[in-house]
Amino acid sequence: MEDIKVLGFWSSPYVHRVIWALKLKGISYEYIEVERHGKSQLLRQSNPVYNKVPVLIHGGKSIAESMVILQYIEDTWPHNPLLPNDPYDRALARFWIKFGEDSIASITDLFMRPSKDEKERAIEIEKAQETLQVMEEKGIGEKKFFGGNNIGMVDLAYGLLCHWLEGLEEITGLKLIDPSRFPRLHAWTQNFKQVPVIKENLPDYEKLVVHLQWRRQQYM
Amino acid sequence: MEDLKLHGFWYSPFTVRVVWTLKLKGLSYENIEEDRSNKSPQLLQYNPVHKKTPVLVHGGKPICESMVIVEYIDELWPQNPLLPHDPYERAQARFWVAFAEQMVPVIPALVYSTNAEEKEKAVEKAREHLKVLEDHCLADKRKFFGGDKLNIVDIAFGSLLEFLITLEDLKQVKILVAEKFPLLHLWLDNFKNAPIIKENYPDREKILATMKPAMERRFPSS
């Protein structure tokens, strides 16, 4: 058996990207729960630049940054591919992964670090909605998943928009992915969570909401 | 001949990355210079999401985002490979490319800083990133980030660091100080003198001559 370890924190959507990718490819690994606030020596050694989860350790060699890890998993275990075969379609997938990476922080900040100024808050919300509009029209478009009929790496990258975002929406009362405004994106959140590997590998919702609530209060 | 068109902006560090990649692979292409204040309808059509350069159009199909374009070119034209073959080495290269992309916001933060405090904050952020590079990437005194031959990481940082130095002059700040970043200085020297990079290296004086008046208009010096 291959020596594969995943350093993670139970609530992290970024860690879940890695878990989903490994499970989708049927790869066994040892999961090691690591404390969030940089006290783990193993974490510091294996991710000296960021000191963050997730980290994949394969045969003693560490890889950090969730999307880099996903690409590594794809390169190392090409079966059940997460990226399209065609180079052009792959480039499109990478574009959408980058778009997601660039937008996700501002979307979560909307909930976790809201502006106290009313005017600024309105602008923040509008910007987030514009971003979602792009995802709705150009990202998902007519497809069931970002990856087409089946989920792919782009879907894993956007995974945080369901479950985690639902928790934040519940805590704050701000319904961002409103089904009447973003029907395709909303449908995607429901379809994504129904995929067996995803469904069986999500943090407990109630526990997550408590955790997000606590983290939000830390900031405010 | 390949049907390649590059919609770019002559002094953009993102366009330069694509130019270097095309030249390193010996590819001919049609260069379409975009005017940022008057973007072509083709650009708006090819990059409807961001409406930005660079966009590579291959056989009529557009690819956007500089590092996505670089990887696309590298996949289709494997000569002078920019990504290593070994998956672990590839992951390391991708990690540092991701780091380069995380550095990018420093540029607008610096360019559009309206007071000394904002400027200092941007400079500090830039220095923090550079320190990580200096300490983690070049410690073994390698010639390029790619080792003996330059690779995708060199491309990613080359244009960024060159643009940062240009901004040092423009904004009257010091970031890439030789005493603090000796390895980075050595690396940049190796990089700008590498074949093909050398012949396609941004003309700092020309860029400053263009950017200075625009900066003056926007931020008149007190």
Side-chain angles (χ1 to χ4, degrees), chain A residues 76-87:
Chain A
T76 309
W77 297 282
H79 64 276
N80 296 359
L82 296 171
L83 280 177
N85 225 356
D86 172 69

Side-chain angles (χ1 to χ4, degrees), chain A residues 46-57:
Chain A
S46 51
N47 190 0
V49 172
Y50 295 110
N51 195 29
K52 279 184 182 175
V53 292
V55 178
L56 183 81
I57 309 179

